[in-house]
Amino acid sequence: MFHHTRIRLAATAAVAVLGLTACGSGSGDEVVDKPKAKASAKADSGSGNDKEPAAEKSSAAPGVAKVGDTLALKGMEDGSGVDATVVKVVDNAKSSDEFFAPESGNRWIGVQFQLVNTGTTVYSDAPVNGAKMTDDKGQQFGTVLADITAGPSMSSDVRLKPGAKALGWVVFEVPKASKAATVTWGMDSGFAEQIGEWTL
């Protein structure tokens, strides 16, 4: 338990340092929630089928990113960019460490992110610092450094050359009664001007 508490404190300290060193601009001035077009979406032809997808799109919120969608995001530095995808979500995620679990009355929600460096510079960050979850009441929750049985965690020290990608789980601790509504993520530990938002 002491080991995990120390890790949590170290992560909190890292966020505090980043907050002090980040320049005044940024911090989510623009919310990006329009997903990149999928290649398969174009392969849609037929006599009566054209109207069905259109009706489907208009009944749901049109063009709002959800699980499986990719958002193109920019960082604070010129030439920095990442395609971020929420690949999977596991509600009530199970700990892979028998000595570490959510606090009483809470549960873990795991979100698997894939990050692809689309920029011209090296992407270097602790991606977990840039993620937040919001429930249907508007309450926001940060991440916990936890390993879950769903798969490997996102590294806390990601470095990607242009074109390289990283895949891993980010874990949020929320009350058992909360209904997750959205998850957000931004470059530069969340201080970039663009913040991606996915509806859950």
Side-chain angles (χ1 to χ4, degrees):
M1 289 296 281
F2 174 74
H3 174 67
H4 291 293
T5 306
R6 198 170 56 191
I7 290 174
R8 279 184 177 178
L9 289 172
T12 305
V15 173
V17 169
L18 282 165
L20 291 171
T21 55
C23 299
S25 69
S27 258
D29 294 337
E30 180 189 349
V31 174
V32 177
D33 63 359
K34 301 291 179 269
K36 289 182 72 171
K38 292 180 182 172
S40 58
K42 293 177 183 173
D44 210 15
S45 61
S47 45
N49 285 355
D50 279 347
K51 290 181 182 176
E52 278 187 283
E56 217 176 272
K57 276 184 185 173
S58 59
S59 63
V64 175
K66 53 192 184 303
V67 177
D69 286 332
T70 300
L71 298 176
L73 302 171
K74 290 180 183 164
M76 292 165 76
E77 286 183 42
D78 287 344
S80 65
V82 161
D83 274 2
T85 307
V86 168
V87 181
K88 294 178 192 170
V89 175
V90 173
D91 202 339
N92 207 17
K94 304 298 177 199
S95 176
S96 59
D97 179 347
E98 61 178 314
F99 300 109
F100 190 41
E103 302 212 356
S104 179
N106 290 348
R107 74 188 195 278
W108 285 346
I109 299 178
V111 178
Q112 189 183 42
F113 282 93
Q114 178 178 274
L115 308 176
V116 180
N117 185 355
T118 57
T120 56
T121 62
V122 171
Y123 166 70
S124 179
D125 198 7
V128 292
N129 291 340
K132 279 191 173 60
M133 184 169 281
T134 305
D135 69 9
D136 57 352
K137 293 178 183 164
Q139 299 177 103
Q140 285 198 333
F141 307 97
T143 59
V144 290
L145 293 176
D147 293 319
I148 57 175
T149 57
S153 297
M154 178 67 75
S155 171
S156 59
D157 182 19
V158 171
R159 283 185 177 84
L160 302 175
K161 65 183 181 182
K165 65 183 176 183
L167 178 72
W169 289 89
V170 174
V171 181
F172 301 86
E173 185 161 338
V174 304
K176 285 184 177 175
S178 284
K179 184 183 176 188
T182 62
V183 64
T184 59
W185 182 81
M187 295 180 67
D188 304 304
S189 288
F191 288 100
E193 289 185 16
Q194 289 190 333
I195 299 294
E197 181 179 89
W198 293 261
T199 299
L200 300 175

